[in-house]
Amino acid sequence: MTSTPILELNALVKRFPVKGGLFGPKKFLSAVNGVSLQIRPGETLALVGESGCGKSTVGKTIMKLHDPSEGSILIDGRDIAPLSRARMKPVWRKVQTIFQDPFSSLNPRMTAGAIVGEPLTIHGLASGAEKDRVVAETFRKVGLRPDQMSRFAHEFSGGQRQRLSIARALVVKPDLIIADEPVSALDVSIQASVINLLIRLQKEMGLAMLFISHDMSVVEHISHRVAVMYLGRLVESGPRDEIFRNPKHPYTQALLSAVPIADPTSRDRQRIVLKGDVPSPIDPPSGCPFRTRCPIAEDGCARAMPDTTLLPSDHRVACHVRAREAVA
């Protein structure tokens, strides 16, 4: 891996306006609140958290499907945050997305070959016989047969449709893939084959990948580094093994305690059940956003937002208690 990031987010913020009533003040939902991260070529960063934590909004904002409210989005060192949609075409050549639902992300009126070949036409990379050759080669690369190019999306199984989505993303040879819950809509029996396909293609093509997921078992298998989100903020990040073996933030510990294990009667790990519900992102609690559910919260947690503390092994955690323990 090179030391230069293909993607760098700096204090990324995305707020959505919310109606506050006929005469009430205008309110905002803070879906992403000060997220900073980096991904290098050949690396997979998994962005994890509960539904509604803002992880998918991060992916859509990187693609400029949402315009960022604040912060910068650097692709190969260039800040794309100020760019209009009209100027994003070269960026979309470098950054491609694999969506969660292969059933709704494929055009039912187009053949599979036309779906995969469309990005080549849009970016002016190939046409005619050359386009057909590249599409056929990409079909083989994702485990599909070239003779299936004339079929329509409804003629494929769920796993095959997701392979089509992967082929469509890879056909333009991007530098970065944003995979938003790419296997959550698939049967468990075929999730592993799609994950292994992504791992193999990443190694072959040197891809960087932002893997968005709530499934920690899948994340442990595919990621190099992990970043944990809660209520729009990063609460912990670091190398995969460090996060899974030595989690520091109480929220990360709770997420990992819920991962199924081979022996459910084992006493090696205690299940952590969080109390209460996730607060509203429209009216978050003061101080640390996790304090209302945190088993180790203190009075000071309500007064100030915790800074991110750098621990050994490039491990970072945003927690008042853990920061004090680190310097003790």
Side-chain angles (χ1 to χ4, degrees), residues 13 39 66 75 89 114 131 135 141 146 148 156 177 192 208 257 300 305:
V13 175
I39 306 178
H66 298 315
I75 303 292
K89 187 176 178 180
K131 176 180 170 182
V135 171
K141 193 174 290 187
Q148 294 175 301
F156 292 87
I177 291 290
S257 78
M305 183 74 66

Side-chain angles (χ1 to χ4, degrees), residues 234-239 242-243 248-249 305-328:
L234 289 185
V235 298
E236 187 166 8
S237 64
E242 183 70 16
I243 295 295
K248 293 297 185 181
H249 198 280
M305 183 74 66
D307 294 326
T308 299
T309 301
L310 177 61
L311 306 175
S313 303
D314 196 30
H315 192 162
R316 290 172 167 81
V317 62
C319 174
H320 292 296
V321 177
R322 300 309 187 208
R324 188 174 65 249
E325 292 174 352
V327 298

Side-chain angles (χ1 to χ4, degrees), residues 92-93 95-108 110-123 125 134-135 138-139 142 144 153 160-174 177 201 205:
W92 287 328
R93 156 69 178 79
V95 185
Q96 288 285 308
T97 301
I98 301 170
F99 294 100
Q100 176 179 0
D101 186 3
F103 302 94
S104 62
S105 63
L106 302 174
N107 190 329
M110 296 174 67
T111 64
I115 288 171
V116 175
E118 186 178 29
L120 294 172
T121 301
I122 291 172
H123 294 284
L125 299 175
V134 173
V135 171
T138 307
F139 264 56
V142 301
L144 296 174
Q160 289 175 324
R161 291 180 196 180
Q162 195 60 293
R163 288 172 186 265
L164 270 180
S165 297
I166 293 170
R168 179 178 58 186
L170 296 183
V171 73
V172 295
K173 298 182 179 178
I177 291 290
L201 291 172
M205 302 177 69

Side-chain angles (χ1 to χ4, degrees), residues 98-283:
I98 301 170
F99 294 100
Q100 176 179 0
D101 186 3
F103 302 94
S104 62
S105 63
L106 302 174
N107 190 329
R109 294 183 176 86
M110 296 174 67
T111 64
I115 288 171
V116 175
E118 186 178 29
L120 294 172
T121 301
I122 291 172
H123 294 284
L125 299 175
S127 60
E130 174 63 12
K131 176 180 170 182
D132 292 340
R133 185 194 66 78
V134 173
V135 171
E137 178 186 328
T138 307
F139 264 56
R140 294 189 189 96
K141 193 174 290 187
V142 301
L144 296 174
R145 302 189 312 274
D147 61 25
Q148 294 175 301
M149 289 168 54
S150 59
R151 296 184 182 181
F152 291 88
H154 72 269
E155 298 179 73
F156 292 87
S157 67
Q160 289 175 324
R161 291 180 196 180
Q162 195 60 293
R163 288 172 186 265
L164 270 180
S165 297
I166 293 170
R168 179 178 58 186
L170 296 183
V171 73
V172 295
K173 298 182 179 178
D175 298 323
L176 172 66
I177 291 290
I178 298 175
D180 188 357
E181 300 273 12
V183 297
S184 63
L186 304 178
D187 291 341
V188 175
S189 59
I190 58 176
Q191 285 184 4
S193 65
V194 175
I195 289 297
N196 290 333
L197 172 65
L198 288 172
I199 293 173
R200 175 175 63 79
L201 291 172
Q202 181 186 41
K203 290 178 180 178
E204 291 177 0
M205 302 177 69
L207 292 165
M209 183 158 56
L210 177 63
F211 189 87
I212 299 169
S213 180
H214 68 278
D215 190 331
M216 299 299 284
S217 298
V218 172
V219 164
E220 185 176 17
H221 186 62
I222 197 172
S223 65
H224 298 103
R225 290 189 300 119
V226 179
V228 183
M229 283 189 74
Y230 182 82
L231 208 65
R233 293 183 179 273
L234 289 185
V235 298
E236 187 166 8
S237 64
R240 174 195 59 197
D241 292 344
E242 183 70 16
I243 295 295
F244 276 83
R245 295 174 186 173
N246 190 28
K248 293 297 185 181
H249 198 280
Y251 179 61
T252 309
Q253 293 171 347
L255 287 179
L256 291 173
S257 78
V259 176
I261 57 177
D263 181 7
T265 64
S266 173
R267 296 183 180 181
D268 293 341
R269 184 179 63 184
Q270 182 180 359
R271 178 70 187 272
I272 301 172
V273 180
L274 297 177
K275 297 180 180 179
D277 298 320
V278 179
S280 168
I282 301 175
D283 187 23

